[in-house]
Amino acid sequence: MSKLQNALVGGVRTVLEHIPAAWLPGASPDHLAERRVALGTQQPRIDGPEKVRGMARFAAEVPMDELLHAAFVHSTIARGTIVELDIAAAEAAPGVGLVMTHRNAPKMKVPPSIGLTSMKAAGNHTLPIMQDAEIRWNGQVVAVILAETREQADHAASLVNVLYDAAPSRTRFEEGKANARTPHSIQMDQNRLEKGNATKKLAQAAVSIDATYSTPWESHNPIEPHAATIAWEGEKLIVHDATQMIHGTVGSLAKVFGIKDDDVFVSSPFVGGGFGAKGLWDHQILGAAAAKLTGRPVRIRLSRESMHRLVGGRTQTEQRVALGADADGKLKALLHHGYATKPRHSITDEAFSQTGRSLYACESFDVVQHYVDLDLLANSFMRAPGEAPGTFAIECAMDELAHALNMDPVELRRRNVATCDPVSGAPHSQSDMMAAYDMGAERIGWDRRSPEPRTRSEGEWLIGMGCATGTFPFLRMPGTAARITVDATGHAHVASAAHEMGMGTATVQRQHAADRLGLPLDSVSVTIGDSTLPYGALAGGSSQTASLGAAISAASDKLAEQLLRLAGNDTPLAGLKPGEVEFADGGLRKIDDPSRHETFASILGRASQAEVSVTGESKAPMEMLKFSMHSTSAVFCELRVSEVTGEIRIDRLVGAFDCGRILNAQTATSQFKGGMIMGLGMALTEETLLDERSGRIMSTSLAEYHVPVHLDVPDIDVLWTDIPDPRTPMGARGIGEIGTTGVAAAVANAVFNATGVRVRDLPITLDKLDLG
Amino acid sequence: MPISINGADYPLPDDPRVSLLDLLREREGLTGTKLGCNQGACGACTVLLDGERVLSCLTLAVQAEGREVVTIEGLTGDGEELHPLQQAFIDHDGFQCGYCTPGQICSAIAMAQELRRGDPSHVTADLASGPNGPTREEIRERMSGNLCRCGAHNGIVEAIEVLLAGEAA
């Protein structure tokens, strides 16, 4: 966020330009990118039977004796002070065990901010939590009720009377733009990127477009509500949570309550959908505080309303994109300027301004992002933060440019393929966007598209096709650790505090460990999901597979060393160094000499050891600074728009992905489709409705916040290039978020093709389609 | 009269305001039935009441007096063997996080019966003659009350088609 950070990151990148790639992680391609047995095959989820039986236990389902249930009272103003807080009736209500307000809440520190302070930080905002009478957003918790049943708690919450002295508040985006701030850097990159004279080149370009796009506040709305079952055992805090950041929650709760990390236990083996929402918010902290006051365990399960009032979402953006090109469609200028709401107490960035920096070759850039500071709930990461709104603006603009050039939109992308990072010049680790475009175009039958808008129809339905590029950066988190334990039967067990929110984490890493260790799948088991296991970084940024993959790979190197030491001299492996052996056939063997082989069981048996256990970790991801590492996709959409009502029906959706190697065809397909369906929601229905007068969110249920339902979702085709990335574990890049990117633009572009109407404001609801 | 849940008798709750969902999850520990919104908007709490699908969050437990409730736990009985639809959900990856899954499965089982009976839906062209077979559009329309946020919709529909094909055979 600072000039200092710009200098540091810039300095490291400059140094890395002079360091040979061979010295960095991923110096030689992971042999598992090519030599695959279990990896790359379709494997059913190992937790499938538990999930379809309803036996997978989620956070709100952990049984505990003497449990109290929590309900919240939310503020109804955005700024001001509590002047009267009458809790007498609530305290007297049946079953109530505690009413906690700022008057009796324990002293709690602000949790350390995610991503800035330490690898064990998870705080999403910097505001004090129930420490004073001040109100800082509409929806802040002003009272926590604990009662014997949830119904009793909800009833008592309705009896709390609060009087506020309201202060002026800033809750209007338009007004906030006037005082927007411009940070020096956003995430890892300098904010305001100027390369060449983009303004001049735009003016001189043969063809140009200049338009403003807007995307609304959106909410994750996982089907499992946020929940935690919390108990104190003396000074030890036990939290059964629904979280995608187990160790971040440990470290943060320890700081909040002034206890040691080791005294916090967090368990989260199953998460009922996360998408960025399942982090540390006020509810776990308030639940733990209330449990401390009563001395009884507490279950907090957020209502849909509380989810909207307490858990931040994807923030509102407004983006101007101006593109200039020569008559052949070669980009001369890319300007991407815009605003996103980010209250000063917010931690996470909606870095839409990253998108245009990596996608296309272009002679000049002018990119800058401003933050609008409002008195609202902190915003947060939501599936593909930055790139989801960023690709909507950039990729609609590319479609507008193609139309202005009278050029096929796929051809426009082909003419602007970047052969290296367009801004820094750093080499790609691997990138083949056009391979994805060619696969996708063939699958959907792109040649059926009419270049002229509003020329295809069937009855009342106008028919159109559109395409867009999706993109998401590669990310590998340092520190993620995995323990491999091999027992005397030759069975390997992998353990890490990783997260399962539906990605198939254990399923895929079991395939990985089997291939890594030369074992059949049924000789490998994987345990994830609680804080007693080796450190796991957050499941976010599509990074978990690469991070845990790197950790397992590092652990396997240590395992080879340990086994050679144990094997001693009376072995076919005698005298061999770790670099001379490989895992195969349930043991180690000399590379290129299969006759010199010994099994794990034989080595351990001779050494009279019951097991050998090693831990390895994901090292500093220097490759991310040396190389330009981005996945890309080509999204194609065919749809119908009713000329009578303006309703949009998606008929087909095709996503072709260039994401490195695919590790499990079944779980990968589901990840891609899931992302794309969230993109459909972004395109057509999703919007968190804010009353800008009061700063109050109005759409606090699934009846008002519209996620795609079965009838909205067509058959989706998913394809992939499967080209290995030579710089990543297993040759793979993350796939959890890219699916969401590009979809809204592909839909908007198809709507334009069908109707001739360009909607630049999401979601594309029928009131915005004037079909005249 | 008691409530039959998965073949066993349970007494009526002392408080008539208890929802069927709370009876299952909070009082009897049958947490396979999921709470997603508690407002009838998401379908995660769907169970079978005398074979018909109901949202257990909007059903009072006393409404089930003398009737048979089947939840996700009741589809398999004590055995290891999965219900064919549960297996089809695994085979077609009809879920990711697994939270909406019990509701989807219970809902689909009753939906199959509605189709068999010829009950029309919003997308049925001729209300008098009923649905023109188990088309994907009919399945999607009829399953639209069961939300899935992970985006497993395609796999869910494919799994249900396996069930319907098995019944037709």
Side-chain angles (χ1 to χ4, degrees), chain A residues 577-627:
Chain A
K577 297 190 175 65
E580 297 171 317
V581 295
E582 62 188 356
F583 290 98
D585 302 327
L588 284 176
R589 75 176 177 204
K590 184 175 189 300
I591 296 171
D592 301 329
D593 183 1
S595 69
R596 295 184 65 182
H597 175 269
E598 186 170 17
T599 63
F600 302 141
S602 170
I603 295 171
L604 286 168
R606 195 173 55 257
S608 302
Q609 290 235 153
E611 61 177 40
V612 55
S613 190
V614 294
T615 303
E617 74 175 56
S618 174
K619 299 289 194 305
M622 305 304 277
E623 74 277 19
M624 285 161 46
L625 293 172
K626 171 96 182 171
F627 294 95

Side-chain angles (χ1 to χ4, degrees), chain A residues 44-45 48-49 51-56 58 60-61 69 151 219-225 271-273 275 299 301 304 382-383 500-503 666-667 670-671 673-674 677-678 686 701-703 705 707-711 713-716, chain B residues 22 25-26 31-39 41-42 44 72-73 76 79-82 86 89-93 95-102 104-105 123 136-137 140-141 143-144 146-154 156-158:
Chain A
R45 295 167 190 276
K51 285 179 174 176
V52 299
R53 286 172 188 268
M55 302 308 284
F58 293 86
E61 298 163 358
H69 298 261
E151 287 70 26
S219 298
H220 314 72
N221 272 306
I223 302 300
E224 178 206 24
V271 180
F275 320 114
R299 175 165 301 154
R301 190 249 319 143
R304 277 289 144 186
M382 179 165 159
R383 204 169 193 168
E500 165 56 27
M501 311 185 282
M503 312 87 100
Q666 189 167 54
T667 53
S670 291
Q671 279 287 77
K673 285 187 179 182
I677 291 165
M678 200 169 275
E686 291 186 35
S701 82
L702 289 166
Y705 188 93
V707 305
V709 303
H710 280 285
L711 199 57
V713 179
D715 291 336
I716 298 175
Chain B
D22 279 354
R25 279 176 68 87
E26 302 296 331
T31 55
T33 303
K34 301 303 179 192
L35 182 152
C37 69
N38 222 15
Q39 296 173 315
C42 76
I72 192 76
E73 292 97 338
T76 45
E80 276 296 296
E81 199 163 325
L82 296 173
Q86 290 174 318
F89 264 65
I90 294 175
D91 295 342
H92 292 270
D93 219 25
F95 58 93
Q96 288 204 57
C97 77
Y99 198 79
C100 74
T101 313
Q104 301 273 0
I105 289 173
V123 299
R136 286 199 168 174
E137 194 183 25
R140 285 180 175 137
E141 161 60 22
M143 291 299 294
S144 282
N146 289 86
L147 303 184
C148 166
R149 189 56 162 160
C150 295
H153 305 78
N154 281 184
I156 292 168
V157 171
E158 287 164 19

Side-chain angles (χ1 to χ4, degrees), chain A residues 119 245-248 479-481 496-499 533-539:
Chain A
M119 299 202 310
M245 40 197 84
I246 289 169
H247 276 114
T480 289
S496 178
H499 312 79
L533 305 172
Y535 173 84
L538 82 168

